[in-house]
Amino acid sequence: MLPEAFLKRMKSQLGSEYPAFLESLERPRAVALRFNPLKTGDRELPFIMQPVPWEPEGYYYDSESRPGLHPYHEAGVYYLQEASAMAPVTLLDPQPGEKICDLCAAPGGKTTQIAGRMAGEGFLLCNEINPKRAKILSRNMERMGVSNALVTNEHPQRLAEKLPAFFDRVLIDAPCSGEGMFRKEEAAVTDWSQETVEMCARRQAEILHSGASLVRPGGRLVYSTCTFAPEEDELAVKAFLESHPEFTLEAVDAPWFTGGQQGMYRMWPHKLLGEGHFAAVLRKAGESEEETCENQGAKLPKEWVSFAKDMGICLPEGKALQFGQTLFWTPIGMPDIRGLKVLRPGLELGQVLKGRFEPAHALALWLEKCNTEESLDPNGREIGMYLHGDVISSEKSGWCLVKVGTYSIGWGKGDGRILKNHYPKGLRR
């Protein structure tokens, strides 16, 4: 049962389209996934159906299948993501080499989508204010093999103070009342009230104010929600423009959205295969000055140099950063992060331990190939054993990149007879 106050408002909001809207909420929802362009290889999967029109890497899948249990999911080959939720990043249009911020990033669907479009080039900051959700975000960035991202657990205002006018593009997928998810999540219905809508609108105004400071002159800001409430959508954008005259709405080519005022767009569940979404595209006035990026990192320890040479690993452009025994490879263009709550400052390479190097799981998921590999059949018995934490038979010696089909999934260490399992215990099935 949908809230009466919600239905009354939607009837007024939609007019003659209201019956079609109600009917759409009774239909089974469409489920979708998005392939990861950072992972290249076999994409022939039996549960893949027609493409998502607004995302080149997006596909609907058979609702009876369980792609989250397939080993390709653990290898970061795809991300399970609601189809309409893929649209805001298409509007953001991130490009390789840019500096981009996803201000409300957990659990990571949109931020991994941004990372895929950046193709490992440039700098991506993904932030989540909730500590538990920030950890989930960090794990998803690792699973998807993202190397050029900083994961932070900060209040948006803190980032605005630390990094004013720093980013080419900023995405604010704001926490909202979730009306667009009523068909997907029962909790969204039971938690709804007009007071919740108004509370969300106040919080969104604060986040938008912080996000505005992060955008460089001439940069793009995309604001999105998964709600139908005008207070959180068009009226929120109108209020933002009144208090931030340096921004204007920007019209983009988006035929899958229902446009109101140019630059503000809606996705309706009775008009497409997906849930409800709203987005606004805003441009900041002015032009940014060219900036030079310093690349003065820590010296790579000899243990890593030896390991990388043996395994045939070549790192992208970046710099080393060491926290205690843990070594990270950070992207070019990363700002001064001192004073920020950082969960992941780039790609985790591994740990230097008493004269030897132990590679990180994140490094395995980033790698496409190395000198020593063991490939397992995605439909075979051994991949199940590996994901369970068991040893597997192998003639390999020393560190070995374990693959499922053509995709890397973790590490093993061989003695010529078996591979000792180094799949993280917290991820084992």
Side-chain angles (χ1 to χ4, degrees):
M1 294 292 292
L2 296 175
E4 191 64 35
F6 167 77
L7 292 174
K8 184 178 179 180
R9 193 199 73 219
M10 293 306 301
K11 186 174 183 179
S12 173
Q13 198 169 338
L14 284 168
S16 62
E17 293 184 20
Y18 179 65
F21 170 75
L22 284 185
E23 183 183 350
S24 73
L25 299 185
E26 297 297 322
R27 293 197 297 265
R29 66 184 185 90
V31 287
L33 58 79
R34 177 179 42 78
F35 279 109
N36 181 4
L38 301 177
K39 305 268 186 172
T40 57
D42 173 34
R43 291 185 173 184
E44 295 297 322
L45 295 169
F47 43 79
I48 297 301
M49 297 166 63
Q50 73 266 33
V52 174
W54 46 89
E55 168 51 54
E57 299 288 348
Y59 290 84
Y60 297 99
Y61 64 85
D62 179 5
S63 60
E64 297 297 318
S65 66
R66 303 179 70 185
L69 297 180
H70 196 284
Y72 280 2
H73 179 267
E74 303 310 311
V77 177
Y78 51 80
Y79 191 104
L80 303 181
Q81 187 176 18
E82 199 281 310
S84 295
M86 301 177 191
V89 171
T90 300
L91 295 174
L92 186 70
D93 193 25
Q95 300 295 317
E98 292 184 326
K99 292 179 287 188
I100 299 177
C101 174
D102 186 353
L103 196 54
C104 310
K110 293 178 179 66
T111 204
T112 55
Q113 187 181 2
I114 293 170
R117 294 195 176 212
M118 294 178 74
E121 300 177 19
F123 171 69
L124 171 60
L125 186 148
C126 39
N127 179 69
E128 173 55 45
I129 192 172
N130 182 291
K132 290 183 179 179
R133 286 171 55 81
K135 290 179 181 178
I136 296 171
L137 168 65
S138 184
R139 288 198 295 268
N140 278 324
M141 298 301 283
E142 175 179 281
R143 180 172 66 87
M144 301 298 278
V146 178
S147 64
N148 61 325
L150 176 73
V151 180
T152 58
N153 171 215
E154 282 289 353
H155 192 286
Q157 184 58 36
R158 172 66 178 144
L159 292 177
E161 294 167 356
K162 183 76 173 176
L163 302 169
F166 184 80
F167 295 96
D168 299 299
R169 302 175 197 259
V170 173
L171 174 65
I172 299 176
D173 185 47
C176 67
S177 58
E179 295 173 357
M181 295 293 109
F182 278 2
R183 180 168 57 174
K184 180 183 176 184
E185 298 175 6
E186 185 177 343
V189 179
T190 57
D191 292 344
W192 185 91
S193 69
Q194 183 59 32
E195 290 74 19
T196 300
V197 170
E198 293 167 2
M199 180 271 292
C200 288
R202 290 191 294 271
R203 181 170 56 186
Q204 290 151 0
E206 294 176 2
I207 298 172
L208 268 167
H209 177 70
S210 298
S213 299
L214 292 166
V215 184
R216 67 162 174 82
R220 176 178 284 189
L221 170 66
V222 170
Y223 169 75
S224 68
T225 73
C226 57
T227 194
F228 305 117
E231 298 95 322
E232 302 178 67
D233 295 341
E234 291 91 349
L235 295 178
V237 174
K238 182 182 178 182
F240 171 77
L241 290 172
E242 289 174 352
S243 60
H244 294 81
E246 72 275 22
F247 281 87
T248 55
L249 285 164
E250 181 176 21
V252 297
D253 183 23
W256 17 268
F257 267 131
T258 299
Q261 184 178 348
Q262 283 193 330
M264 290 195 283
Y265 308 91
R266 283 189 178 274
M267 301 186 85
W268 294 100
H270 60 289
K271 292 186 175 183
L272 45 78
L273 287 175
E275 306 305 319
H277 237 79
F278 168 86
V281 183
L282 302 134
R283 179 71 68 178
K284 193 172 188 177
E287 296 182 4
S288 63
E289 298 179 0
E290 291 293 324
E291 295 182 7
T292 57
C293 297
E294 296 183 5
N295 187 28
Q296 297 178 351
K299 184 179 179 181
L300 282 166
K302 63 182 185 301
E303 293 85 356
W304 160 260
V305 174
S306 177
F307 173 82
K309 182 179 180 181
D310 290 343
M311 302 299 287
I313 298 172
C314 294
L315 293 172
E317 195 175 7
K319 58 185 179 182
L321 186 64
Q322 194 161 349
F323 286 97
Q325 296 175 318
T326 305
L327 183 67
F328 290 88
W329 191 246
T330 64
I332 291 293
M334 191 173 80
D336 181 2
I337 62 174
R338 287 174 294 184
L340 294 178
K341 298 175 186 174
V342 176
L343 275 70
R344 183 174 297 273
L347 175 64
E348 184 182 356
L349 300 179
Q351 291 191 316
V352 180
L353 302 170
K354 296 180 180 179
R356 60 185 175 85
F357 188 81
E358 185 163 312
H361 184 60
L363 177 63
L365 291 170
W366 173 76
L367 283 170
E368 288 191 89
K369 60 182 180 179
C370 71
N371 289 343
T372 308
E373 301 178 352
E374 183 73 44
S375 182
L376 307 178
D377 184 342
N379 300 307
R381 176 172 172 267
E382 285 190 319
I383 184 60
M385 294 172 60
Y386 179 76
L387 293 175
H388 189 262
D390 299 332
V391 298
I392 55 176
S393 299
S394 174
E395 296 179 355
K396 302 293 192 301
S397 296
W399 285 106
C400 175
L401 182 66
V402 179
K403 289 186 166 184
V404 51
T406 58
Y407 299 106
S408 59
I409 196 167
W411 292 108
K413 197 170 187 181
D415 62 5
R417 299 178 301 106
I418 61 168
L419 278 183
K420 183 180 178 182
N421 198 311
H422 282 262
Y423 195 68
K425 292 182 180 179
L427 300 178
R428 293 177 183 178
R429 295 181 177 178

